[in-house]
Structures are given as C-alpha cells and as structure tokens.
Amino acid sequence: MSETTIEKHTFQAEIQQLLDLVVHSLYTDKEIFLRELISNASDSMEKLRHIEATEKNIHEPTVPLEVHITTDAEAKTLTIADSGIGMTREELVKNLGTIAHSGTKAFLKSVKDSGSSPGNMIGQFGVGFYSAFMVADEVKVHARSWREEGEALVWTSDGKTSYEIEDSPGQTRGVKIVMHLKEELSEYSEEIRIKHLIERYSNFVGFPIFLNGTRVNEVEALWLKNKSEISEDEYKAFYQFTCKAFDEPAYRLHFSADAPIAINSLVFAPSENPERMGFGKVECGVSLYSKKVLIDPEPKGLLPDWMRFMKGVVDSADLPLNISRETMQDSALVRKLGAVISKRVIKMFEKEAEADPEKYRGFYKKFDRFFKEGIATDYPNRDALAKLLRFESSLTEPGAVCGFSDYVSRVKDGQDSIYYLVGGSREQVESSPYIEAFKARGLEVVYFTDAVDEYVVESLGEFEGKKLVSIRHGGVELEENAAEGESLSDEQTTALCEFLKSELGDRVTSVASGRRLVDSPIIALVPTDGMSPQMRQMMKAMDENFKDEIKVELEINPRHPLVKKLSEAKDNNPELAKLVALQLLDNSLIAAGLLEDARDTVKRMNTLMEKAMG
Ligand code: ADP
C-alpha cells in the first residue's frame, strides 16, 4: 500500500450552520443542486479561458473544456467533472471550508433576520456548492489546479462538521465531484432524470455537456437567434440559468441592430427586487460579450448605475476582444452601446406600461426607486424616465395611479404648470389647505408621498415644457374664481395685512391676500427656496443640531368670515385681534406640518376660549 496522508479539517461555524439549514430544510426543489454544480463547472472553465489568454504554463493545456456527467444507479452515485481551473490545497480549504461567497452570506443573514423557513430562500438565492448536500450523504471533490505546481487531491465530507483532504492519484486538471446519494434520493443516479434536468436548467451553458458519454446540451447564444425561433420557456430558462436568477422575468427586451453599432442584446427586468429584501446595492446584472465570448460579467460604465437591476446579455461584434476592464469605462464605443441600450430599455418600459398598466403598476411598486434614482442621476435619460413615474393625484381614485403623460393630456387650456404637493400620504395631502383652491378650480394636483419624491421632482424641474410647481410654495398665480363670495375691500385687505405683519414680526416674511383659499381663513406658504416639512425632518434626522428658523409667507382669504371679523376687531378690540392673529399663524403652521412647539399655542387657545364664553 502506498503512503497517503489524510488531513482532517473542521468547517467554519457559519458553514456548519449553513449545511445544517440546507440538509434539514424541507425545500422541495432539491433538483436545483445540479444547476448550481454545472454553473460552478462552467464558471471555472470560463476562468480558465481567461487565464489562457495571458498565461503560458497551464497544466494539461490540450484537455478540451467540457463537462462530463456520469450516473451509476447501482452504486447510487452521480459524478460531475469539468476541466476548468481546479483547486489547490489552499483553495479547497478556503473555497469549500469557509464562507467567502457573498450570496451565501446574504442567504444566512436573511434566514437569521426573517426567522422564516429557509426553504423558500434557498430557492431565491441558491447556495452554490453546498446544495450538493441536499441530495448526497457523502461528497468527494477531486481537484487538480491549472497551476503546474498543483497536486491531485480529494476533499471528502459528509456535510456535518468536518472534511478530509488526501491525495487523488490520476485526477486531471479541473474538478470532479462524486456524490453518493441519500437513500431516498437515488432518482438522481438515473440517466433519464438527469438528462431532463440538464435540458431544463443548463441548455445554454457555453460548454458542451456530456451525459454518460453523449452530448446533451445545445450550446447556443440565444441572444443571436431570431426572436420568432425562441419560445417563452426558452427565454425563461435562459434568464434563470444565464442570469443566475430565481424568479420569473417581468419584462424582456430582445433586439438587434447593425448601425451605428452592431448590437445583439437580450435583457430582462426581474420580478423581485433584491435591494428591497435588504441585500444592499446589487451589482450590474448585464454581461458584456463580443461574438459570444464573455468580456466582462459585470461591466462597469456600460449601463447607467440605476439600471443595475436589469439582467441579461449585451453582445457587440464591434468590441475588440482584448478590451480591458480598465479601459472599458473610457471607451467611446462602450458608452455609445450603453446609451443605445438604456434608451431602448426605457422605451420598452413605456410601451409595456401602456399595454398592461396593471402589471406595470405592480412592477413599479417594487422598482420605482431605480427609476427615481435615474431621474436624479442620469441626465441624458431624465425626460424619458419621467414618463415612467406613477403617482396618485387629485383626479385619481384612491389607490389608482397615473403618469405625467396622463396629467398633460387633461390639463386645462393655457395651463403651463404641473401642480404637485409632497406629503406623507394621500390622506395627509388631501386634508391640507393647499389643495382647496386647486380643487375649486378643477386643477389636478399630483400627490407625491415617497420620501425621495421631493428631491426627484426638484431634479426633474419640468415635463414636456410644463414646469413642475409645488403648491406649498408662494408665487402660484391662480385665476379669479367666479364662485368666490363677498370680499374685504382692497383698502381693508391692505390694512389687515399690515396689521398682521406688524404683530407677527419676524416669524413671517410677508402677508398678502390670495386666491388660494376657499374654506380656510389663512395659509402658510413655504418660500420657493425654503424646505418642505419632509426635507426638514430628513435634515433633523441627519443632524441633531439642525436648527432652521421657519419663516413662512402668509396668504389670507379676504372672503372668509373670520378674516372679515378680524379686520373689524383690529380697530374695535385690538387686544383680542392680537391673540387671534398669533393663533391664526399657529393654526396655519399646524396645517402645514411646520409647528414645532405647541405650548404657547395651547395656552393662547385656552385664553381665547375663555373670552369666547364671556
Ligand atoms: P459560488 O457562488 O462562488 O460559486 P460556491 O459555494 O458554489 O459559491 O463555491 C465556492 C467556491 O468554490 C467558488 O467560488 C469557487 O472558487 C470554488 N469552486 C466551486 N466549484 C468549483 C469548480 N467546479 N472548479 C473550481 N472551483 C470551484
């Protein structure tokens, strides 16, 4: 017997946890393990292809890049072998014994955070290599690195607490995984079962896959095929395998162009937004190819950052193969490519939204932040993106939404502004006094209720030539309304405004009469350069020392009985008039969500009530 050394290692604690979850979960789709392992094999051979471009000394350089799968129903084993980069001793320990992979970390974290069953989550994230232990009670990973100095080794584990590494004489370059299947899962050692699984999940793998010596997959770049030759199922399978996605694609764009640049592109919008599940910012999901050869799986600078949720493939035959990741960002060709694709993607969303508004609404609920981020950061696409925004307005039913194009299609003749109001919710916005005059005149007001909306509309500024105007601000000109009742005279109004300004002093920048109000006596307007209550709250949350004197413009309603009475009282009963003036200011601040300290308000209110009751 030859001498072999056996090294025993214990799994890192997190890996043990993970294995425990994987093995004991009730996850029904155990079959995805095959996709995970074939995907690892394919990644590894893809890496070898890249290494070949720069390295001369590669172990066994002539071995073809192929995946060989063998089933043995008698021994109840399934074997998956590739001729990729393999692993050295250190890599076996690091890659298979410790947690390095970000997806796995995210998976563990989400299981901990949610406290829910990990089963469904495996489906969402995939746990890569470790999924082998869902079906096997023993896994052997034979490995030989591409590096000349590498050794032929085998890593063995039952997936519980430890693994062993020893020599594996005869192992050629790459990795060969031998799984001994669990008793009740011996179906995975049947050729027909495995054949169907490969067809289902791995048809587009860029390397030939052989099952028991026979080629099973068609290696084809779906994005180069004619749309009419591709079925919905093929698209879906491509999305799930090539884009490593676990959900259904919500939308897709498959297009080709020859001029000004050659493009073959197949990109998808997912139906689930991982950033909403608390996984932080995702990486760009659109890979860049040139004539079917992968150039960069996460090309920085190809697409605008807000499009990072999109997944798929962009292939341009015009791209030089040797373009490096560093020079890519500066390449005019890459920029042009990105510009063409982002325009097409936005157009695609616009069309899809028109074709099926309900579906788009559901999608928008999950992905709106990306579009909003685009408006704030992607200047060339800003106007096009504005068409994708959805919101409620004074003319939509509660819960229903519309877009700026709908708004513009129903504006009144001569209206050159789009009116909007930012608030916490529809109810809050609707009960604010700002709305009154617009309602009375039948002018539509857009309700923005997402915390980032204010910033987004401010960056947008206008839509199709119509200025976006916040009705919280002063300076909105409205037409005379026929329904308006008897008003104070101009002199009386001027005198009352002067009285209020002198009583309220520095707390107001100006007092004027306006046409805004119908049912309320007075309204506080934020100066055009002033902050909204939402913005103030954000500033306060960020900086506890934040202090900002609120100064508002007051607009009075010269037709309101209270205002008319105040006009008389300032001459007949100045003491009461002063109290009422202060109270009116506070009331307007409360309505605007701007009153910070209500102690004086309450005291004064009590005094006023006492007086009212004689
Ligand atoms: P990942 O999502 O990174 O593939 P896995 O858990 O599936 O996570 O694998 C962990 C690591 O093990 C991989 O990142 C890779 O470095 C290594 N690995 C797995 N399978 C192979 C293989 N067939 N050939 C070479 N290395 C592999």
Side-chain angles (χ1 to χ4, degrees), residues 128-422:
F129 166 74
Y130 303 100
S131 59
F133 289 101
M134 294 199 293
V135 297
D137 50 26
E138 187 199 67
V139 176
K140 283 184 179 291
V141 181
H142 298 265
R144 170 67 172 86
S145 164
W146 65 275
R147 296 171 191 277
E148 280 303 354
E149 70 278 13
E151 310 159 76
L153 301 165
V154 55
W155 175 106
T156 309
S157 177
D158 60 1
K160 297 208 168 88
T161 53
S162 63
Y163 59 91
E164 288 169 358
I165 297 178
E166 59 193 302
D167 292 340
S168 171
Q171 168 63 24
T172 52
R173 189 196 68 220
V175 159
K176 180 172 78 186
I177 300 180
V178 184
M179 286 174 276
H180 184 265
L181 299 164
K182 294 179 181 175
E183 193 59 41
E184 69 279 16
L185 294 169
S186 56
E187 61 189 283
Y188 296 116
S189 61
E190 285 158 23
E191 178 174 310
I192 189 74
R193 178 83 165 103
I194 296 298
K195 182 161 185 277
H196 286 149
L197 286 183
I198 298 171
E199 280 164 358
R200 171 126 162 235
Y201 290 122
S202 310
N203 229 6
F204 305 107
V205 171
F207 299 96
I209 300 176
F210 292 85
L211 176 60
N212 297 333
T214 309
R215 172 81 181 268
V216 274
N217 68 327
E218 345 161 0
V219 180
E220 67 177 349
L222 202 63
W223 59 93
L224 296 179
K225 274 180 76 172
N226 210 317
K227 276 189 216 178
S228 59
E229 295 162 14
I230 307 172
S231 72
E232 285 299 318
D233 277 351
E234 280 178 296
Y235 273 125
K236 190 179 142 192
F238 177 86
Y239 169 73
Q240 294 190 329
F241 187 82
T242 311
C243 308
K244 302 193 169 72
F246 296 90
D247 56 354
E248 304 260 331
Y251 299 113
R252 74 161 177 267
L253 173 67
H254 184 181
F255 82 98
S256 304
D258 293 323
I261 345 173
I263 303 178
N264 287 284
S265 171
L266 175 54
V267 292
F268 300 86
S271 52
E272 291 304 330
N273 172 0
E275 291 191 8
R276 276 182 17 131
M277 298 169 151
F279 290 104
K281 214 170 151 183
V282 296
E283 296 288 340
C284 161
V286 174
S287 318
L288 186 60
Y289 284 73
S290 175
K291 297 186 202 145
K292 292 203 266 186
V293 178
L294 182 67
I295 293 187
D296 191 340
E298 286 170 4
K300 297 231 157 52
L302 173 67
L303 298 176
D305 202 31
W306 65 265
M307 272 181 65
R308 60 188 177 276
F309 66 98
M310 298 291 294
K311 293 176 179 225
V313 168
V314 171
D315 191 326
S316 174
D318 291 341
L319 275 179
L321 269 184
N322 60 1
I323 187 167
S324 75
R325 290 191 185 183
E326 289 70 40
T327 54
M328 238 187 50
Q329 287 201 52
D330 306 325
S331 154
L333 188 63
V334 170
R335 271 203 305 275
K336 220 192 252 168
L337 205 56
V340 173
I341 293 159
S342 51
K343 265 207 193 74
R344 295 289 293 253
V345 166
I346 296 171
K347 198 87 205 151
M348 179 268 293
F349 280 122
E350 198 190 324
K351 280 196 189 140
E352 295 280 3
E354 238 166 69
D356 188 346
E358 259 322 288
K359 178 177 172 192
Y360 178 70
R361 204 177 127 204
F363 176 82
Y364 183 81
K365 261 194 190 148
K366 295 181 191 164
F367 290 86
D368 62 332
R369 286 287 177 100
F370 291 103
F371 297 148
K372 290 175 183 175
E373 184 184 321
I375 288 178
T377 58
D378 181 5
Y379 183 72
N381 286 318
R382 176 171 295 171
D383 294 340
L385 275 167
K387 292 191 189 148
L388 303 183
L389 293 181
R390 290 293 177 273
F391 36 74
E392 296 195 30
S393 86
S394 52
L395 295 189
T396 63
E397 294 296 320
V401 294
C402 65
F404 280 131
S405 305
D406 303 310
Y407 185 110
V408 168
S409 73
R410 53 190 177 224
V411 291
K412 302 204 152 184
D413 273 350
Q415 182 185 335
D416 54 7
S417 302
I418 295 176
Y419 299 111
Y420 72 89
L421 185 56
V422 181

Side-chain angles (χ1 to χ4, degrees), residues 519 521 557-567:
D519 300 322
N557 176 357
R559 292 162 300 274
H560 195 280
L562 181 56
V563 172
K564 288 190 215 163
K565 287 219 167 92
L566 181 61
S567 166

Side-chain angles (χ1 to χ4, degrees), residues 36-37 39-44 47 82 84-87 91 95-96 101-104 127-130 174-177:
E36 299 289 316
L37 297 183
S39 158
N40 279 352
S42 156
D43 286 352
S44 169
K47 282 181 197 154
D82 66 64
I85 55 171
M87 280 183 266
E91 285 166 343
N95 295 345
L96 306 186
H101 172 44
S102 58
T104 313
V127 285
F129 166 74
Y130 303 100
V175 159
K176 180 172 78 186
I177 300 180

